[in-house]
């Protein structure tokens, strides 16, 4: 029988961003100024590629959304005329800034879910607007006209999603372990690329025929990057951005119960769950699309998991110290809405720390597994060790007939022996 978690095996898509050419000009505010970074530079060079010319490498953003906003402002300020005595940037320095901002905008477009704070606190909407006609500087337009198109695409996407209003706020969810491939010293096979910067990293991309990381491997769609702390973590492979499936969908989303992935990032790529680390994907007014339950998260002492029946604690449940008022958030409200409207929720179980002796045997031995559609049938309250009250939700697995004929016993057969063997080879890299 074919494994439910087997990659799709689609042909790689082009590395270009497939941006539309019909972006319409918009009347926008005046440009942002930053006197500390104003420079003068002649820009007559052609557009710089977002990724290195080498087909085996790509630039990825490794800094924060906030830092990217600062860098977008700096790039704008560099195009302003300065007195003759002011220092000038070289074309190479300007091109480096442009490359970084192209990587940042692509990262926002493909990998970052909008949040209200991006608009309300960071002013990202206003900064992006300054990259659109008629405010886009002529010098930048000559050198990197695609930055304007990318900015328009990000702005359109985030506005269409109301800057994340009502969607689960991932900063309020904690407790799931981040995917970790080990230390850079232990896993990297090459020195840091000199084309990397303080905000970006030039990474090696997996060879297409690689048995683990390639087109037919269990890590398809994902590459490796090094964090500022020296850890190697999975990131989306820039070549396959257009293959990434949207997880904001109710139902199976084209997955069979028992489908298995090695890491939460790969489950994100395939659209099983909408976050690379956090536990709830949903919308306060629509309901929860999916939840992840980890065998060794900080919530395990609050969750009651019997497989076909699950009491799932709301986010912030371990931290609340108020004995009468439970914490709430869009994530919690999405589960409350699921209770009201009866829409099914995908439940995924994650292995967590496999060396923990307290692990529940109903969880996968490694990786993350889709266990089927569940229904939120009840809401209750309980008290944590801090005497703080928290909300919890009872989820029951839908009948096998609504789970593609797959029983609870069927899904526990995954991962298979072969999948576990492939998992053991992931940290060898490529």
């Amino acid at each position: 029988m074919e494994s439910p978690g087997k990659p799709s095996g689609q042909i790689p898509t082009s590395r270009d961003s497939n941006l539309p050419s019909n972006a319409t000009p918009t009347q926008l505010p005046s440009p942002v100024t930053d006197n500390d970074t104003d420079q003068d530079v002649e820009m007559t060079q052609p557009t710089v590629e977002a990724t290195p010319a080498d087909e085996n490498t790509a630039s990825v953003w490794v800094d924060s959304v906030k830092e990217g906003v600062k860098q977008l402002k700096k790039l704008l300020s560099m195009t302003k005329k300065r007195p003759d005595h002011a220092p000038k940037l070289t074309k190479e320095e300007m091109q480096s800034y442009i490359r970084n901002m192209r990587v940042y905008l692509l990262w926002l477009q493909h990998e970052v879910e909008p949040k209200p704070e991006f608009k309300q606190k960071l002013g990202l909407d206003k900064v992006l607007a300054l990259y659109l006609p008629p405010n886009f500087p002529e010098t930048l337009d000559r050198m990197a006209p695609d930055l304007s198109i990318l900015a328009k695409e990000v702005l359109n996407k985030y506005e269409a999603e109301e800057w994340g209003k009502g969607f689960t706020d991932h900063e309020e969810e904690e407790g799931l372990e981040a995917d970790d491939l080990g230390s850079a010293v232990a896993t990297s096979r090459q020195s840091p690329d000199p084309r990397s910067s303080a905000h970006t990293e030039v990474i090696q991309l997996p060879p297409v025929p690689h048995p683990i990381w390639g087109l037919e491997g269990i890590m398809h769609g994902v590459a490796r990057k090094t964090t500022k702390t020296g850890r190697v973590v999975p990131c989306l492979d820039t070549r396959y951005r257009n293959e990434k499936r949207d997880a904001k969908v109710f139902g199976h989303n084209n997955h069979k119960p028992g489908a298995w992935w090695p890491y939460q990032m790969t489950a994100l790529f395939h659209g099983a769950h909408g976050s690379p680390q956090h536990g709830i994907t949903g919308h306060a007014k629509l309901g929860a699309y999916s939840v992840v339950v980890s065998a060794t998260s900080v919530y395990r002492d609050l969750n009651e998991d019997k497989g076909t029946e699950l009491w799932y604690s709301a986010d912030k449940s371990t931290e609340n110290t108020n004995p009468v008022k439970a914490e709430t958030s869009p994530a919690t409200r999405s589960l409350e809405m699921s209770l009201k409207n009866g829409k099914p929720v995908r439940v995924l179980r994650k292995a967590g720390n496999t060396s923990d002796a307290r692990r529940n045997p109903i969880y996968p031995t490694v990786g993350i597994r889709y266990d089927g559609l569940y229904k939120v049938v009840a809401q209750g309250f309980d008290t944590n060790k801090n005497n703080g009250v928290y909300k919890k939700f009872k989820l029951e697995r839908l009948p096998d007939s609504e789970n593609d004929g797959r029983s609870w016993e069927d899904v526990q057969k995954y991962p298979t022996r072969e999948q576990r063997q492939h998992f053991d080879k992931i940290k060898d890299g490529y």
Side-chain angles (χ1 to χ4, degrees):
M1 178 179 69
E2 181 180 351
S3 165
K6 186 177 179 181
S8 62
Q10 296 176 357
I11 300 299
T13 57
S14 170
R15 296 206 312 170
D16 62 36
S17 58
N18 289 333
L19 297 173
S21 59
N22 60 347
T24 56
T26 306
Q27 295 296 324
L28 301 165
S30 301
V32 172
T33 59
D34 186 342
N35 294 329
D36 292 335
T37 57
D38 282 355
Q39 306 278 358
D40 185 21
V41 65
E42 266 188 64
M43 294 188 289
T44 57
Q45 298 297 313
T47 300
V48 188
E49 292 301 320
T51 54
D54 182 358
E55 289 293 322
N56 297 318
T57 61
S59 292
V60 295
W61 187 258
V62 294
D63 216 321
S64 65
V65 174
K66 181 179 181 180
E67 182 59 35
V69 172
K70 292 181 181 179
Q71 296 300 312
L72 285 173
K73 292 179 181 179
K74 285 184 179 181
L75 181 57
L76 285 173
S77 69
M78 289 172 188
T79 66
K80 291 185 169 297
K81 291 293 182 181
R82 295 288 288 160
D84 292 339
H85 59 79
K88 295 183 180 181
L89 289 177
T90 66
K91 290 184 176 67
E92 290 74 20
E93 289 172 324
M94 180 60 71
Q95 288 173 338
S96 177
Y97 265 97
I98 290 173
R99 275 194 298 268
N100 287 351
M101 291 303 90
R102 187 175 289 113
V103 170
Y104 174 67
L105 290 171
L106 286 167
W107 177 68
L108 289 180
Q109 182 185 21
H110 293 284
E111 300 187 39
V112 179
E113 294 298 322
K115 295 181 180 179
E117 68 183 58
F118 294 171
K119 178 178 180 179
Q120 297 166 0
K121 296 182 180 180
L122 303 183
L124 178 58
D125 58 326
K126 292 182 174 63
V127 177
L128 290 173
L130 296 172
Y131 278 75
L132 307 184
N135 294 308
F136 192 48
E138 291 183 9
T139 48
L140 269 182
D141 194 30
R142 289 197 301 270
M143 195 174 191
D146 62 310
L147 288 184
S148 181
I149 301 175
L150 281 170
K152 180 66 172 177
E153 286 294 302
V154 175
L155 194 57
N156 284 345
K157 174 186 174 182
Y158 284 16
E159 287 182 345
E161 298 188 21
E162 301 182 80
W163 291 87
K165 181 181 179 181
F167 285 101
T168 53
D169 185 344
H170 293 155
E171 287 197 349
E172 294 184 5
E173 300 172 61
E174 300 175 358
L176 294 186
E177 310 86 346
D179 294 337
D180 191 340
L181 302 178
S183 67
V185 173
T187 60
S188 294
R189 295 187 175 183
Q190 65 278 333
S191 301
D193 194 293
R195 294 168 293 183
S196 298
S197 72
H199 313 293
T200 65
E201 179 187 353
V202 176
I203 63 170
Q204 290 290 125
L205 296 175
V208 172
H210 195 281
I212 304 299
W213 292 83
L215 193 63
E216 298 293 333
I218 59 173
M219 292 295 285
H220 169 59
V222 174
R224 304 184 308 159
K225 72 177 181 182
T226 305
T227 67
K228 289 188 174 182
T229 60
R231 306 302 294 176
V232 179
V233 297
C235 64
L236 294 180
D237 189 325
T238 58
R239 296 170 297 183
Y240 307 113
R241 281 173 169 147
N242 293 330
E243 284 187 30
K244 180 175 173 289
R245 186 186 296 275
D246 186 6
K248 295 174 182 175
V249 175
F250 292 106
H252 294 296
N253 202 14
N254 205 35
H255 294 300
K256 294 182 178 180
W260 173 88
W261 300 275
Y263 291 99
Q264 196 161 326
M265 179 64 78
T266 44
L268 168 72
F269 176 77
H270 289 281
H273 187 61
S275 168
Q277 181 176 351
H278 305 293
I280 303 172
T281 296
H283 190 284
K285 294 183 178 180
L286 302 175
Y289 304 112
S290 59
V291 299
V292 173
V293 198
S294 174
T296 58
S297 80
V298 297
Y299 293 117
R300 66 177 170 185
D301 292 327
L302 306 183
N303 295 332
E304 301 173 40
D305 196 351
K306 299 178 182 179
T308 57
E309 180 183 299
L310 164 68
W311 278 99
Y312 189 88
S313 56
D315 54 299
K316 296 292 185 181
S317 297
T318 61
E319 301 175 10
N320 190 30
T321 57
N322 191 318
V324 295
K325 183 179 180 181
E327 295 275 357
T328 190
S329 70
T332 301
R333 291 194 292 273
S334 72
L335 287 169
E336 290 174 332
M337 180 54 67
S338 294
L339 175 61
K340 290 180 180 179
N341 63 27
K343 290 185 177 180
V345 180
R346 291 187 299 277
V347 171
L348 294 91
R349 287 182 172 85
K350 185 176 181 179
N353 183 358
T354 56
S355 63
D356 193 318
R358 296 174 58 201
R359 288 184 73 259
N360 189 325
I362 68 174
Y363 288 78
T365 51
V366 293
I368 183 170
R369 184 184 66 214
Y370 172 45
D371 285 349
L373 293 178
Y374 286 61
K375 185 177 181 179
V376 182
V377 297
Q379 176 181 338
F381 295 85
D382 212 331
T383 303
N384 60 29
K385 63 182 180 181
N386 300 318
N387 200 36
V389 65
Y390 66 90
K391 296 180 181 180
K392 61 181 182 179
F393 299 87
K394 184 178 182 181
L395 289 83
E396 293 181 349
R397 195 173 191 269
L398 295 180
D400 297 349
S401 59
E402 297 182 53
N403 271 306
D404 202 50
R406 305 257 174 152
S407 68
W408 168 242
E409 290 73 25
D410 290 334
V411 301
Q412 289 188 281
K413 298 175 183 177
Y414 299 94
T416 65
R417 180 180 180 183
E418 181 182 15
Q419 288 171 328
R420 294 195 300 271
Q421 290 173 340
H422 286 183
F423 180 87
D424 291 338
K425 298 177 181 178
I426 290 173
K427 292 189 178 182
D428 293 338
Y430 45 83

